[in-house]
Amino acid sequence: MLLCVGNFFGSTSEAEWAEYRTGARKAPIPTYVLGANNQDTLSYFPDVSGCELAENITYLGRRGVYSGCSGLQIAYLSGTEAQERPAPAHSFSAKDVAELKTSLLSTPHFRGVDILLTSPWPRDVGTFANSAGEIDTKKCGSQLVSDLAASLKPRYHFAALEKAYYERLPYRNHMVLQETPQHVTRFIALADVGNTSKKKYLYAFSIVPMSCMDPAELVKQPQDVTENPYRKLRKEAPKSKAPLCAEEEPACQFFFDLNKHQGKKRPSDGKERGDSQPKQAKKPPQPAGPCWFCLASPEVEKHLVVSIGTHCYLALAKGGLSPDHVLILPIGHYQSVVDLSSEVLEEVTKYKAALKEFFRSKGKRYVLFERNYRSQHLQLQVVPVPLDLCTSEDIKEAFIAQAQEQQIELLEIPEHSDIAQVAQPGTPYFYVELDTGEKLFHRIRGRFPLQFGRCV
């Protein structure tokens, strides 16, 4: 299905729309739209309670909940916040919001909705979060929409009208240590369709309805979760807690704000859920200064990220030796493979297996190497090499020959042994691993050529 937020009808859409209305053209998939945001487009919406506008194009209505046969619940509120009384036909009032809230909150065991659609942004949505660019979230948007989002606890909240794309870090819907853990909310604002700045106006995703999910799975907290930006709207929020959270949640992170939660918030959530994750509570050492590879860092180049797991992520190498040269990196700040906790190491192993399978399907094998020397954050360089170009034996020989030439002692270590068995935490080293499981190791005792792996 296609869900549209913002202004569905543009200023020059009359002729184009006539083709859909008469059946000359048809929307390819079921399309659901919000109502008018201005006086000019009111005439396109004949029935305020919602109706079919053309084949496969449905106006949801002024406000309400659309329930799919799968159990998916989509709450919606059309129009902009009324600035006068009585509210114009293209606006909503506090009464509309209150009635929508009541209709849902009165249902037994209400936990939230899957999706919330509004045209305006919620006021203050950027509090405790990554920057919304040029948009000042303290001045734009609707306070009523914030109130609605705080009460309905949508898993996804989509909005538009500011002509900007903004994907906010997920925020939690419960007070840590004071309330039972609940699911997080992801707010996504989309730019206008076909904008000349090429800002994102389409967001594609798949979702399992909340009603069909395992409760423990539903309330899992991602590592980049932040405080609720509308917490001041929640009467149960103690006032004394607010300054602490403002201090804990610096609003300067660009991508993933993990530093605070890995050591403090997540273990609290874990205790409440009753799961035993003692290792999660151990906070990895934090970088002394800016780190280019911590996902919590504003330095991270978001466009290079390929895949994000629970503890690790995969990114394209900025100065790749080939177009498909990638890095496996831990999300938190770890210096080397030797420092990794068991769950992070387990996910690194999964990424290696997936990359082996992927590259083999492309007729390639990978060479992986790590240099734990004059580096701050673990980077596992994964470079694919065509299978018909050289064997794993050729690659081993190339590394050993280059090492001998530069008087570097590169030793083969047993295939199933762990690097942690030959190197203590804090030990500088260089190691190579082939997708066959063969490993070469060098303990760095003095100087070491930084580009050795890349040169080979």
Side-chain angles (χ1 to χ4, degrees), residues 44-84:
Y44 289 108
F45 303 96
D47 185 347
V48 291
S49 60
C51 57
E52 186 173 80
L53 301 179
E55 190 178 356
N56 256 359
I57 301 178
T58 304
Y59 163 46
L60 288 166
R62 188 182 178 89
R63 62 171 188 272
V65 180
Y66 171 86
S67 296
C69 55
S70 63
L72 189 75
Q73 276 203 315
I74 303 171
Y76 56 88
L77 179 67
S78 289
T80 54
E81 184 175 334
Q83 302 300 318
E84 56 196 83

Side-chain angles (χ1 to χ4, degrees), residues 127 137 156 158 215 251 256 262 266 326-327 343 388 391 401-402 406 412 435 444:
T127 305
T137 58
Y156 284 87
F158 294 97
F256 279 91
Q262 280 180 315
R266 281 184 64 107
V326 291
L327 309 178
E343 62 263 69
D388 54 7
T391 64
Q402 285 287 328
Q406 301 193 41
E412 187 161 0
D435 70 356
I444 300 173

